[in-house]
Amino acid sequence: MSKLTGWWKNRSSAQKVELYTRWSFHFFVMLEGFAVLMGLVPEGRGALLWLLPVGAQVALCGVLSSRSLDWVLGRRERPGRLAVALVALTAVLTGAALTLRSSGTITHEGVTPTLVANMVGFATGSLTLALRRVRHMTYVAPGAAVATAAAAAAAGLPGGEAVGYGVGILLTSLLLTLACGFSSWLLKTVYELDQAQELQAQLAVAEERLRFGRDLHDVMGRNLAVIALKSELAVQLARRERPEAVDQMVEVQRIARESQKEVRDVVRGYREADLSAELEGARGVLSAAGMECRVEMGAGRELPSEVQSALGWVVREATTNVLRHGDARSCVIRLTQERETEGASASLTLLVENDGAPEAPAGPPGSGLTGLRERLARVDGTLEAGLVGGGRYRLTAVVPGRQLQRLEARA
């Protein structure tokens, strides 16, 4: 019992719907075979002649239904030849049954209607599964009804009886085409939803990987640049036998330990950059590198944590770029907030500008600025970066005032 329940529980929702749908059509095959067999009983020995051809038609309906479901799910090509073969075999058997009824060979009144209704009805259901457009599906039942009525009239049956065959086939075929068409649509939709959920999960994993890579780049970029700078300074001091070399290596050790902690924070996804700490850190790092660094704070109020975090990352990435690219001698970091005007809130602007920028980039563009734009997009911010002339490079981040108001109101 546990194996049976496990066999069912281990399937996805889409696989369960597919299994249910397939077995429903297998049941249709058995139902058609049973109905035809019961309808032929009154003919006695004469019914034996129908068992083989009708059995072939029933089996063909089942095969076409199974292959059509595979086609609907994109697992095989469209079973066009099987559909044509089923239509041809059903037409031949239906014509033969109507002709034998008209000639009196089939004596029992209920045999021919049972044969025709089951063969044509279940064939139209299987044929519906092999069609792509709903408009074409709607033509199946009326087409089968008209063709059957025409075949009955051509076989010499009375007009009223021919119309009766047409109406009966229309009602039977409508029921089966509706059931088969809806089952096909439902199965396809369930699988599309299942694939969409799987794709959503894959996108979530990819987004988390991008976040991890971006955060790791932002965290380690500046720290490694500082470690390299201080290590080089320690080497120069050691060669001159200066005692300050020990202090520099102690600082390198401290930064390395902080980097380990920050990497662990990044992995957990809990790390947030503090704007004030990043500004002071940028001032200290750039000054230690021999640059003239001026930090100007013009924002006169406490900023929301989301904005502080986004701008803190901007300061960190900009500091890393100043250290690693060009030969800067001076750098200005300015945080300003425009005055509020009537009906409009003041936007917040962070500017980082340095000299000594090369005219052309030394290598391919990195992912730092892309990561900053993604962070700023979370607070509706924008980022612009590039040369402004005179060998100066400017990076400007702007957070609109309406977003500041919204975040402050939420806090």
Side-chain angles (χ1 to χ4, degrees):
M1 187 65 182
S2 60
K3 291 183 178 179
L4 180 61
T5 56
W7 169 80
W8 175 258
K9 291 180 180 179
N10 291 335
R11 294 177 178 269
S12 65
S13 298
Q15 290 174 337
K16 291 177 181 178
V17 173
E18 179 186 357
L19 186 64
Y20 170 79
T21 304
R22 286 187 180 277
W23 278 104
S24 297
F25 288 118
H26 294 336
F27 176 75
F28 280 1
V29 173
M30 292 185 289
L31 181 63
E32 179 186 0
F34 179 77
V36 170
L37 182 63
M38 291 295 100
L40 288 174
V41 169
E43 282 298 304
R45 294 182 179 180
L48 297 177
L49 299 176
W50 287 95
L51 292 182
L52 183 60
V54 172
Q57 195 267 351
V58 171
L60 193 56
C61 285
V63 174
L64 178 61
S65 298
S66 179
R67 296 290 180 87
S68 297
L69 289 179
D70 290 337
W71 167 69
V72 168
L73 299 177
R75 298 172 183 170
R76 64 169 66 241
E77 295 182 355
R78 186 178 183 181
R81 294 181 180 179
L82 280 176
V84 173
L86 178 62
V87 171
L89 180 59
T90 303
V92 170
L93 293 177
T94 301
L98 293 172
T99 301
L100 292 176
R101 170 61 182 164
S102 177
S103 64
T105 304
I106 298 179
T107 58
H108 198 276
E109 295 182 356
V111 172
T112 303
T114 300
L115 279 175
V116 173
N118 282 279
M119 288 190 301
V120 177
F122 284 99
T124 55
S126 299
L127 184 62
T128 301
L129 294 174
L131 299 177
R132 179 178 289 108
R133 297 182 179 180
V134 177
R135 183 183 62 182
H136 295 164
M137 295 180 185
T138 59
Y139 297 156
V140 174
V146 172
T148 303
L157 293 175
E161 189 173 351
V163 172
Y165 275 106
V167 173
I169 294 300
L170 178 63
L171 296 177
T172 305
S173 298
L174 277 177
L175 177 62
L176 287 169
T177 54
L178 179 62
C180 293
F182 178 77
S183 298
S184 173
W185 170 82
L186 178 62
L187 182 60
K188 184 178 180 180
T189 302
V190 169
Y191 263 98
E192 287 178 351
L193 291 175
D194 187 68
Q195 292 173 358
Q197 291 179 350
E198 183 178 355
L199 180 60
Q200 184 178 9
Q202 292 175 355
L203 289 176
V205 172
E207 183 179 356
E208 181 63 17
R209 288 176 179 174
L210 288 175
R211 181 202 67 79
F212 179 79
R214 181 191 63 209
D215 291 357
L216 191 62
H217 170 273
D218 294 342
V219 167
M220 297 303 296
R222 188 197 67 168
N223 290 353
L224 290 177
V226 174
I227 289 174
L229 177 66
K230 289 187 172 293
S231 299
E232 183 180 355
L233 179 59
V235 169
Q236 297 296 331
L237 292 173
R239 287 176 178 174
R240 299 174 187 174
E241 299 182 355
R242 297 283 298 276
E244 291 87 348
V246 177
D247 297 333
Q248 294 298 325
M249 291 308 299
V250 170
E251 183 68 11
V252 168
Q253 186 181 36
R254 182 189 66 80
I255 296 174
R257 289 176 177 172
E258 288 183 355
S259 299
Q260 289 179 334
K261 180 179 180 300
E262 289 174 345
V263 169
R264 286 194 295 267
D265 291 337
V266 167
V267 173
R268 296 188 184 98
Y270 294 147
R271 188 180 189 281
E272 293 291 340
D274 182 73
L275 180 57
S276 300
E278 294 298 334
L279 288 173
E280 291 300 322
R283 189 207 307 269
V285 168
L286 296 179
S287 299
M291 301 181 197
E292 179 186 352
C293 181
R294 187 170 74 253
V295 177
E296 301 177 1
M297 291 280 291
R301 59 178 175 176
E302 185 76 14
L303 299 176
S305 59
E306 293 93 335
V307 176
Q308 285 207 46
S309 177
L311 295 182
W313 284 109
V314 173
V315 173
R316 171 166 290 196
E317 176 65 22
T319 304
T320 302
N321 290 338
V322 172
L323 286 171
R324 300 173 73 181
H325 307 298
D327 187 19
R329 291 291 180 268
S330 65
C331 179
V332 177
I333 303 176
R334 183 181 299 120
L335 181 66
T336 59
Q337 189 168 14
E338 300 175 357
R339 293 182 177 179
E340 296 185 4
T341 58
E342 185 176 354
S345 302
S347 60
L348 189 67
T349 303
L350 175 66
L351 180 143
V352 181
E353 184 175 331
N354 64 277
D355 61 0
E359 294 295 332
S367 60
L369 294 181
T370 301
L372 292 182
R373 289 191 174 93
E374 292 175 357
R375 293 182 183 277
L376 287 169
R378 298 177 183 176
V379 292
D380 292 342
T382 58
L383 180 74
E384 294 182 0
L387 295 171
V388 292
R392 301 190 67 82
Y393 186 88
R394 180 181 298 166
L395 184 147
T396 307
V398 179
V399 179
R402 64 180 184 277
Q403 180 66 6
L404 292 174
Q405 279 190 337
R406 187 179 69 84
L407 292 174
E408 288 174 349
R410 189 178 66 182

